[in-house]
Amino acid sequence: MGIFGPAINNHLSASLLLIKKMLDGKMKGCPRIYFGVVDVRDVAQLHLIAMTHSQAVNQRFLATSGCCLSLHDVAMILKNKLGTAAINVPVNEIPDEQIIQAAATDVEARQTVSNLGVIRNARSDKAITLLNWQPGTAEDAILASARSILNLCNTEAGK
């Protein structure tokens, strides 16, 4: 699960670091991995609703903004919506075999291997139906992350 949304400072979560690596060009391609996406603000809202809604007692709720996305999908959102700010974002998919070979010497590649091609579609139907929770879109969450990271980089560069 990727929890995205605006960064509040330069201590970035793993999901935001992924976006930063894409924007910085430190990621050379997109492994075939898939994950659910949700905005941190929607997660917070769901927590508040669940704490105060009578039908939420002893229930568990998944927070996701629809179907899962591939890393390539995320890259294409950035490329299509951020213009020149996304010039370094990779859009080429890295073949599984290349990731598997790299795993022999690279820790990040090793951690990725077990997730190659695995699609885990979690759904928030229960939260939407029972609690009337309405998450934003995955695209909006990803773009909020990217824009806040770009703002942080510009702010730090101006110091």
Side-chain angles (χ1 to χ4, degrees), residues 17-75:
L17 281 172
L18 176 68
I19 298 294
K20 185 171 184 343
K21 282 183 181 180
M22 293 178 94
L23 291 169
D24 291 347
K26 291 183 179 167
M27 185 177 291
K28 300 304 178 198
C30 301
R32 237 175 26 90
I33 58 172
Y34 301 81
F35 47 88
V37 172
V38 68
D39 192 303
V40 67
R41 297 165 293 185
D42 291 329
V43 174
Q45 179 191 45
L46 180 56
H47 277 94
L48 289 172
I49 294 169
M51 286 189 300
T52 59
H53 199 289
S54 62
Q55 291 186 333
V57 175
N58 294 321
Q59 298 291 318
R60 291 179 186 230
F61 299 94
L62 297 177
T64 186
S65 297
C67 296
C68 67
L69 298 178
S70 70
L71 197 52
H72 182 260
D73 294 333
V74 173

Side-chain angles (χ1 to χ4, degrees), residues 61-132:
F61 299 94
L62 297 177
T64 186
S65 297
C67 296
C68 67
L69 298 178
S70 70
L71 197 52
H72 182 260
D73 294 333
V74 173
M76 293 308 297
I77 289 169
L78 297 173
K79 279 287 196 188
N80 291 332
K81 298 294 183 171
L82 293 180
T84 58
I87 195 164
N88 295 320
V89 173
V91 293
N92 58 311
E93 285 190 316
I94 301 173
D96 293 354
E97 299 77 27
Q98 193 174 339
I99 300 294
I100 293 166
Q101 288 173 349
T105 58
D106 183 270
V107 174
E108 282 188 38
R110 195 172 309 125
Q111 293 170 342
T112 302
V113 169
S114 64
N115 292 311
L116 291 172
V118 178
I119 299 173
R120 294 180 183 96
N121 254 335
R123 298 178 56 107
S124 295
D125 294 353
K126 183 176 170 184
I128 291 167
T129 304
L130 191 64
L131 305 179
N132 199 31

